[in-house]
Amino acid sequence: MTGRPLPPGPGTRMVELDRRASITLLTGVSMGRVGFTHQALPVIRPVNHLVNDDGDIVIRTHAGAALLATASASEVVVYEADQIDETTHTGWSVMVTGTASRVTDPRALSRYRTELTPWINTETEHVVRIRAEFVTGYRLASTASQGERGGPGGPPYGPDGPSPGPGRCHTLEASDRRGPRPEGRS
């Protein structure tokens, strides 16, 4: 039997990350969720990804995927990835919003098909790129570790960069500008 995590206490704070730190965190994980519209309804699918040199998200998909219709129409989608520790209430979350489009350049297709191995056992011959037009990242951090984990004077994602290392986890909460804001911000 697993117990429910305790609600965040006064020792946790939410820290907004800049674009560079957010993209760096995305490069350290390989799995996330893509959200798009299908038949006028919101859909979210788990996918593995890579981040290209421009900070865009690249995923592979199969011929019948609903995402291909969205990408063919160059519609706006959202991509979110995170690492959250429910016990310590720390971690991070990054959300990228931008236009999805099919990759058709033969050299880029070859590169992405080589670098991005799908997790599912099906033919994933199509490649979709999500332009990182808006990037929002948040980290939930313990106030006890302010100086150690990016408090005043520290880096925004911890002393060791975006990879949390064994036994440590950085948490961000993804939100848009209308979403929840840290204390003291409007």
Side-chain angles (χ1 to χ4, degrees):
M1 180 169 146
T2 17
R4 297 178 83 164
L6 297 173
T12 302
R13 64 190 168 90
M14 190 163 55
V15 178
E16 187 170 0
L17 301 175
D18 65 20
R19 179 185 178 94
R20 182 187 63 76
S22 297
I23 294 293
T24 300
L25 286 167
L26 283 178
T27 63
V29 296
S30 61
M31 187 71 164
R33 290 152 295 282
V34 62
F36 58 98
T37 303
H38 179 62
Q39 298 179 351
L41 296 172
V43 176
I44 298 173
R45 299 276 195 269
V47 293
N48 64 311
H49 73 271
L50 65 80
V51 179
N52 72 10
D53 298 337
D54 296 324
D56 297 334
I57 305 299
V58 179
I59 61 176
R60 289 179 61 180
T61 191
H62 59 90
L67 178 61
L68 280 182
T70 298
S72 295
S74 294
E75 294 182 16
V76 174
V77 301
V78 65
Y79 191 84
E80 192 272 341
D82 55 47
Q83 285 187 342
I84 297 175
D85 184 326
E86 291 186 25
T87 303
T88 63
H89 304 128
T90 59
W92 61 265
S93 178
V94 172
M95 185 171 61
V96 172
T97 305
T99 307
S101 60
R102 291 175 71 170
V103 174
T104 57
D105 176 66
R107 286 193 299 172
L109 279 171
S110 176
R111 173 187 168 202
Y112 294 140
R113 286 178 180 152
T114 300
E115 293 178 9
L116 184 59
T117 304
W119 287 19
I120 59 173
N121 188 18
T122 190
E123 183 61 37
T124 56
E125 67 273 17
H126 300 281
V127 177
V128 174
R129 177 182 46 239
I130 302 167
R131 294 269 180 217
E133 296 170 27
F134 298 100
V135 178
T136 307
Y138 288 94
R139 178 173 51 85
L140 289 176
S142 168
T143 55
S145 58
Q146 249 183 356
E148 176 188 334
R149 297 256 194 262
Y157 45 80
D160 303 318
S163 178
R168 295 191 320 217
C169 183
H170 307 285
T171 304
L172 298 177
E173 181 177 305
S175 70
D176 65 14
R177 297 292 175 203
R178 295 178 304 273
R181 304 296 293 170
E183 275 187 47
R185 299 183 81 172
S186 55

